[in-house]
Amino acid sequence: MNEIKTKQQYDRKEEVPSLDFRIINWVGIIDQLTSTKMRQLLDGSDVPPPQFVLLNHFSHRPEEGKTVSGVADAMQQPQPGITKTIAKMLAKGFLRAEENPEDGRSKTLYLTKAGKTAHAAAKARLEEGMQHTFDGWREWEKKDFFAFLDRLKIYLDDHREDRLS
Amino acid sequence: MNEIKTKQQYDRKEEVPSLDFRIINWVGIIDQLTSTKMRQLLDGSDVPPPQFVLLNHFSHRPEEGKTVSGVADAMQQPQPGITKTIAKMLAKGFLRAEENPEDGRSKTLYLTKAGKTAHAAAKARLEEGMQHTFDGWREWEKKDFFAFLDRLKIYLDDHREDRLS
DNA sequence: TTGTTTTATATTCTTAGGAATGTAAAATAA
DNA sequence: TTATTTTACATTCCTAAGAATATAAAACAA
């Protein structure tokens, strides 16, 4: 991305994208592939992928209540989408909402027993289906890989200008 | 993903996902962030992200014609979505379709001059907007990072069962 | 206190993606 | 040759995600 290319180079028959570009591109492809896999693995369960992602989030420190906008921010997604997913999860009883007596606008969301159960079942399916993904990887390789991902994520996170609602 | 956890461990207050899971998860977050950035950078241009991705593909060996299903396969996306995106690109003149005299079912798609121009403009916007993403990275780090991504991608690619249409 | 701004969430609209299915041409089988 | 299957692409329907906006409560300012 930060290479300056001459017109000459652009005109080559086969254009080779920069490493920067390819990294971003590969991340997109991997996300595509894992999302597809995840959808297949969760197919037929009562937890579609968007809800699994939220269940995942709620499982992290489950005793703490979360707000819609808090979840939206953590998920780095626009609030309206989160509202809709949460509405479905409330309807299914995976979450429960508590009115906030201090502030009539907001409500606090908690994972229910049913939500925990659904999450565990979905997670088991995914773990089962993806257990061989990193076969052959050394532990340090996974750590190094994750460190690269984290470094990139932190940069992108720090430099995004949306700061969702 | 391939760690076997005891019930005991699952019941801890704060559940720490395995490294495998976190890698997949981080990829998803990075894709989310870069997609958002890309959408913002291309906003107002005549090339929305899905079309940019295809223009990118067509720019690679532009002299070779491509078929709808060939593109769908390369993009690892279902064919109907590709058909729709290509229809828009044909309408805008970014692509041109040639009948195949040998086979009345298929058609061959080529990038037009207008398509090349649109692609170059969109690419310049993206490069401009993302040029600092890898500031501070050594070349070997990017190479190592890409190698990890590629290794994971190859595994996922080899083990997907969809084999789109 | 009244008017304005900010904050939390909900609703609506549009586009994109995926699943299922349809159509028509080509390949294959009987 | 005729029937069946396969292949390439198109269409339809549904869910999801993003943009814009609405509503309503709280905080703040005059």
Side-chain angles (χ1 to χ4, degrees):
Chain A
M1 239 73 108
N2 45 23
E3 296 165 29
I4 293 160
K5 294 186 185 171
T6 60
K7 179 91 171 53
Q8 182 72 345
Q9 281 175 298
Y10 273 120
D11 283 343
R12 277 186 191 160
K13 260 188 190 168
E14 180 173 346
E15 189 183 328
V16 179
S18 71
L19 193 49
D20 299 32
F21 230 121
R22 298 220 300 164
I23 288 173
I24 304 287
N25 198 207
W26 254 227
V27 167
I29 291 172
I30 292 171
D31 182 63
Q32 167 86 23
L33 292 166
T34 52
S35 300
T36 301
K37 185 83 183 167
M38 185 169 163
R39 205 178 317 110
Q40 290 166 347
L41 290 171
L42 292 180
D43 188 51
S45 84
D46 53 351
V47 182
Q51 296 184 29
F52 176 73
V53 174
L54 290 201
L55 284 177
N56 238 353
H57 180 62
F58 276 93
S59 299
H60 202 252
R61 305 186 195 278
E63 65 286 351
E64 285 176 16
K66 301 181 201 303
T67 62
V68 171
S69 51
V71 174
D73 197 46
M75 296 294 104
Q76 302 168 341
Q77 272 193 14
Q79 168 263 318
I82 299 295
T83 293
K84 281 179 270 189
T85 306
I86 285 180
K88 289 171 196 163
M89 295 169 78
L90 284 168
K92 282 203 269 191
F94 292 165
L95 299 178
R96 128 185 97 76
E98 246 175 42
E99 296 296 322
N100 184 344
E102 310 282 300
D103 187 336
R105 295 167 303 179
S106 76
K107 58 190 183 186
T108 316
L109 299 158
Y110 295 92
L111 191 60
T112 63
K113 189 83 187 164
K116 281 178 198 174
T117 307
H119 177 243
K123 197 177 171 191
R125 277 192 186 220
L126 292 176
E127 281 173 342
E128 158 78 18
M130 317 244 281
Q131 63 184 323
H132 297 298
T133 306
F134 290 92
D135 280 3
W137 289 64
R138 302 295 191 78
E139 199 60 25
W140 66 264
E141 292 176 317
K142 294 198 279 186
K143 279 188 184 161
D144 282 4
F145 187 18
F146 182 77
F148 285 139
L149 288 167
D150 196 45
R151 184 170 167 191
L152 178 55
K153 172 185 168 289
I154 286 171
Y155 175 89
L156 293 169
D157 211 356
D158 287 349
H159 291 78
R160 69 195 168 113
E161 49 228 11
D162 45 317
R163 300 282 114 208
L164 305 153
S165 63
Chain B
M1 237 73 108
N2 45 21
E3 298 165 28
I4 294 158
K5 295 187 183 171
T6 61
K7 179 93 174 50
Q8 182 74 345
Q9 282 175 299
Y10 273 120
D11 282 342
R12 278 185 191 161
K13 260 188 189 165
E14 178 171 348
E15 189 184 327
V16 178
S18 72
L19 193 49
D20 298 31
F21 230 120
R22 298 219 299 164
I23 288 172
I24 305 288
N25 198 208
W26 254 227
V27 168
I29 291 173
I30 291 171
D31 182 62
Q32 167 85 24
L33 291 167
T34 51
S35 299
T36 301
K37 183 81 184 170
M38 187 169 161
R39 204 177 319 108
Q40 290 166 348
L41 290 171
L42 292 179
D43 187 52
S45 84
D46 53 350
V47 183
Q51 296 185 29
F52 177 74
V53 174
L54 290 201
L55 285 177
N56 238 352
H57 179 61
F58 276 92
S59 299
H60 203 250
R61 305 185 196 275
E63 65 287 350
E64 285 177 16
K66 301 179 200 301
T67 62
V68 170
S69 52
V71 174
D73 197 46
M75 296 293 103
Q76 301 166 341
Q77 273 192 13
Q79 169 262 318
I82 298 297
T83 293
K84 282 179 270 188
T85 305
I86 285 180
K88 289 171 196 164
M89 294 169 77
L90 285 168
K92 282 203 269 192
F94 292 165
L95 300 178
R96 128 185 99 76
E98 246 175 43
E99 296 297 320
N100 184 345
E102 308 284 300
D103 186 336
R105 296 168 301 178
S106 76
K107 57 190 185 187
T108 317
L109 300 158
Y110 294 93
L111 190 59
T112 62
K113 189 84 188 164
K116 281 178 197 171
T117 306
H119 176 243
K123 196 176 172 193
R125 275 193 189 221
L126 292 176
E127 282 173 340
E128 157 79 19
M130 319 241 283
Q131 63 182 323
H132 298 298
T133 306
F134 290 92
D135 281 2
W137 289 64
R138 300 296 191 79
E139 200 60 25
W140 66 265
E141 292 176 317
K142 294 198 279 186
K143 278 187 183 160
D144 282 4
F145 186 19
F146 182 77
F148 285 139
L149 288 167
D150 196 45
R151 184 169 168 192
L152 178 55
K153 171 186 170 288
I154 287 170
Y155 175 89
L156 293 169
D157 209 358
D158 287 349
H159 290 80
R160 67 194 169 112
E161 50 227 14
D162 47 318
R163 301 281 112 209
L164 306 153
S165 65

